[in-house]
Amino acid sequence: MPLSVRARFEVYIPDQPSQAYQDLVTTLAEEFTLVFGGCTVVSGLNGKYLSNFGQIINDRITLIYTDTPFDLPENFDAVSNYSDKLRESSFQSLDEEAILVTVWPVYHSS
């Protein structure tokens, strides 16, 4: 059977005890589930990043990802616009130097 290519959205959110962080995870998980039929939330990941001040920061991260029904090359502009909105809304919800939103093709077995 042929593979089908789909767009996958991933949002990497710092794992902080503040309610705003928990609310954002909940909101994104609900949106991904309602819009795309489901998502995966992986908490407790370890990461590092270089701050704007040049310091290496240890960071706990929650990853939320979902696969869409959209072929990435055919829907590039719409997928790009949605990823920009995810990033913007995440920054509005949290006080962070960086929030990573990625989009990449994933191949599903039909």
Side-chain angles (χ1 to χ4, degrees), residues 4-9 68-80 83 102-107:
S4 59
V5 63
R6 300 291 181 242
R8 174 174 285 180
F9 288 102
T68 74
F70 307 118
D71 180 281
L72 185 54
E74 291 178 11
N75 297 282
F76 187 82
D77 289 340
V79 169
S80 179
S83 68
T102 64
V103 180
W104 54 284
V106 62
Y107 294 85

Side-chain angles (χ1 to χ4, degrees), residues 92-106:
Q92 289 175 0
S93 298
L94 305 177
D95 182 30
E96 284 294 326
E97 285 184 16
I99 294 173
L100 180 62
V101 176
T102 64
V103 180
W104 54 284
V106 62

